[in-house]
Amino acid sequence: MVDEMSPVPFYVQLADALAKQIESGKLKPRQPLPSESTLQQEYGVARGTVRAAVRLLRERGLVVTFTGRGTFVAER
Amino acid sequence: MVDEMSPVPFYVQLADALAKQIESGKLKPRQPLPSESTLQQEYGVARGTVRAAVRLLRERGLVVTFTGRGTFVAER
DNA sequence: GCGGATTTGTACGTATGTATG
DNA sequence: GCATACATACGTACAAATCCG
């Protein structure tokens, strides 16, 4: 989940956790991330928080998002 | 439709309205509820709102849903 | 069996309101 | 005031299952 005690915002914590999985190869290029609702449950946060995290990953170029399909690990 | 002025969320209002029809016998066991698109139009809400209402009814055990067929009043 | 229409399932985009620190 | 976080509610798009001519 997420560290309530940390000063780091939830959405940044979540983005970092996902980035780590991508960089470690746990999530490979072209693979879909878990859906927003799945991440919501897994990390115990609201959808808006999940969306903020994914937005960060998009801005870092780590993922690409397609409406109605999902968010995928970017190809490098 | 739905009461815009009420503090009660639309999807809860809609779930309550449908629950009332079930409990009053207006909708009988094994009978299908109106489709999501019908409820959408009848109550003037978005599909996501209809689905949230039906989800509540499912959680209460009042209805059962089958993909591609519809949602039916539970037998009791 | 096929193709189109219907219905539910999933997923994202966006906006607004409330609450908290 | 501002950022964070959650909940509600609108919309669009596409997939999956079913139904029917």
Side-chain angles (χ1 to χ4, degrees), chain A:
Chain A
M1 314 312 167
V2 139
D3 182 3
E4 311 264 356
M5 291 303 100
S6 168
V8 180
F10 291 171
Y11 74 96
V12 176
Q13 289 186 46
L14 178 49
D16 287 346
L18 292 171
K20 212 162 274 181
Q21 292 186 31
I22 291 171
E23 281 150 15
S24 76
K26 203 163 170 184
L27 283 169
K28 296 177 182 52
R30 307 184 68 104
Q31 272 194 344
L33 264 63
S35 75
E36 291 181 352
S37 76
T38 300
L39 292 174
Q40 212 179 126
Q41 291 167 27
E42 281 182 357
Y43 289 86
V45 295
R47 189 185 168 206
T49 304
V50 172
R51 288 181 60 72
V54 173
R55 180 173 48 73
L56 281 188
L57 297 177
R58 257 198 312 274
E59 286 167 2
R60 294 183 201 162
L62 289 178
V63 302
V64 287
T65 297
F66 303 97
T67 301
R69 294 208 285 129
T71 296
F72 301 81
V73 179
E75 318 198 43
R76 305 193 226 111

